[in-house]
Amino acid sequence: MRFKKIRKIYRILFPLQLTEKQIFVNRLVSNPIVESVSQEVGNYYKVQLHDKLELYIRDENHSDYSVFQQIFNFEEYKTVLSLLKFNKIGESSVLIDCGANVGYTTVYFSQKFNFDKIVCIEPSLSNIEALKKNICKLENADTIAIMHRALSGNSNESFDLRTDFRDGLDWSYSTAINENGNIKGITINEIVIQNNLDRITLLKIDIEGAERYIFKDNVDLSFLSITKIIAIEIHDEFQIREEIYYILKKKDFILFESGELTIGINYKMF
C-alpha cells in the first residue's frame, strides 16, 4: 500500500512524458463518438464510430483529426442539414463540395441526406488519396465524382498548391494562379456542364482564400441562379467578405452566419 502511494506521488511530481503520437492516439480513443481505433498501414488510423461508420484519419502530422472534430463532434454543418430537409419531395438533389479535403463533409451529408449526385473538388493529391478511402464504402459511393482540380473563376487557368497559408497543414492548403502551375482549374459553371446539372442543392465552398478568384465582377456567376443553398467559409485575410456579401445579396440570397460559415439561401428557389 505504501509503495502505491509513493508511486502515485512520484507520478504527480514527475509525470510521464508522452510522445506526440501517444497524445494523438489518446485523443482518438477518448473521443466520445469513437467506438474503436486501429492503426492501418502507413500513417492511417481506422476509427469506427458508435453508429458503425468507419473513417480513416491520418496521424498527428496532419490536420485530419481537427477536421473530423469540426464535422462530426461539433457538427459544423448541422444548420445546413436542417435547411436541406425543406427540399421538395421528388426534387433531385446535388452537392458540390469545393475544398473536399479528405471527404468528411461528403461523408457527413451522405449519412444524413439523400443526395442524388455529389461532386468533390480538391487540389491536393494526398488529400484525395484519403478522400477515396473515406468514401469507398459508402452506400452512395457510385454517385460521388472526385475531381483533382482547383476551383477557378475563369476557364483555362492553372494553379500551384500553396502550403504556407495559416498553419500549413492539410486543411490550410491553398491555391495560387500560375500559368505554369501543375493543377488545372475548373469553374463551377464547367462542373455544372460536365455533370449535366440543372440545379445545385448545396454548394459548399471552403477553399482557403481561393474564393477571392470566384466572387469577382469579371467572373460568370450564372451558377448562382441554380444554387439553392450556399455554405462558404470566408477567409478574412483577403478582405473579400463585403464583396462576397454584396454579390450574393444581389443574386437573391438571404445570408446569415453559423459558426465560421456564411450560409446563403436563394429565396427564389424555396
Side-chain angles (χ1 to χ4, degrees):
M1 181 66 70
R2 179 181 295 178
F3 175 75
K4 289 183 178 179
K5 288 182 178 179
I6 293 172
R7 186 171 61 180
K8 185 175 182 179
I9 293 170
Y10 180 85
R11 287 304 178 206
I12 293 172
L13 294 175
F14 304 99
L16 289 172
Q17 296 298 310
L18 299 179
T19 65
E20 288 187 10
K21 183 173 291 293
Q22 289 171 325
I23 293 170
F24 175 78
V25 173
N26 285 343
R27 292 180 68 197
L28 280 183
V29 299
S30 61
N31 189 303
I33 67 171
V34 172
E35 184 171 291
S36 65
V37 177
S38 60
Q39 187 164 10
E40 299 288 297
V41 175
N43 58 3
Y44 285 95
Y45 291 84
K46 183 168 71 174
V47 299
Q48 185 177 83
L49 309 190
H50 290 304
D51 61 3
K52 305 308 177 185
L53 176 65
E54 288 186 353
L55 292 169
Y56 291 91
I57 297 176
R58 289 174 297 185
D59 64 20
E60 70 279 2
N61 297 311
H62 300 267
S63 56
D64 295 7
Y65 183 63
S66 295
V67 181
F68 172 88
Q69 287 182 301
Q70 281 185 336
I71 304 302
F72 295 102
N73 287 105
F74 311 140
E75 291 201 80
E76 182 177 43
Y77 289 94
K78 189 173 183 178
T79 300
V80 176
L81 183 65
S82 67
L83 293 172
L84 286 170
K85 292 179 179 177
F86 288 97
N87 216 42
K88 296 174 185 177
I89 295 175
E91 185 177 275
S92 61
S93 54
V94 175
L95 163 63
I96 299 181
D97 186 352
C98 302
N101 195 256
V102 297
Y104 297 147
T105 304
T106 287
V107 171
Y108 175 84
F109 282 117
S110 294
Q111 295 295 107
K112 298 178 181 293
F113 188 79
N114 183 29
F115 279 105
D116 298 293
K117 178 76 174 179
I118 298 176
V119 183
C120 295
I121 313 299
E122 173 57 41
S124 164
L125 279 174
S126 60
N127 284 346
I128 284 179
E129 179 185 336
L131 189 159
K132 289 178 178 178
K133 290 175 70 70
N134 279 316
I135 69 170
C136 68
K137 293 183 180 179
L138 294 176
E139 291 183 4
N140 65 326
D142 60 341
T143 68
I144 302 173
I146 300 172
M147 304 184 74
H148 176 225
R149 294 287 186 270
L151 201 64
S152 173
N154 298 293
S155 300
N156 301 315
E157 291 182 326
S158 296
F159 295 80
D160 283 329
L161 189 68
R162 301 288 298 273
T163 60
D164 57 355
F165 184 56
R166 292 190 173 178
D167 62 8
L169 294 177
D170 316 82
W171 63 348
S172 296
Y173 287 172
S174 61
T175 54
I177 294 176
N178 181 348
E179 63 179 15
N180 297 315
N182 56 8
I183 303 172
K184 292 182 179 179
I186 189 167
T187 70
I188 296 174
N189 287 321
E190 287 172 332
I191 296 169
V192 168
I193 293 169
Q194 290 180 21
N195 290 276
N196 195 30
L197 306 178
D198 59 7
R199 74 176 63 244
I200 304 169
T201 311
L202 172 59
L203 175 60
K204 172 256 182 178
I205 301 178
D206 186 1
I207 51 178
E208 305 309 310
E211 62 271 16
R212 69 190 185 277
Y213 301 131
I214 313 304
F215 295 93
K216 296 169 64 175
D217 290 336
N218 64 338
V219 168
D220 180 3
L221 297 170
S222 57
F223 63 87
L224 289 174
S225 66
I226 63 167
T227 299
K228 192 169 188 178
I229 303 168
I230 186 169
I232 178 171
E233 183 172 333
I234 301 172
H235 298 79
D236 288 318
E237 291 90 338
F238 301 97
Q239 300 180 346
I240 50 176
R241 184 175 294 272
E242 293 306 317
E243 184 176 0
I244 292 175
Y245 283 1
Y246 173 77
I247 289 171
L248 289 176
K249 288 176 181 178
K250 189 177 178 181
K251 295 292 185 179
D252 305 318
F253 283 85
I254 299 169
L255 305 179
F256 62 96
E257 308 299 318
S258 177
E260 295 182 344
L261 295 175
T262 295
I263 299 173
I265 302 170
N266 188 333
Y267 66 84
K268 287 190 175 181
M269 297 185 70
F270 270 84

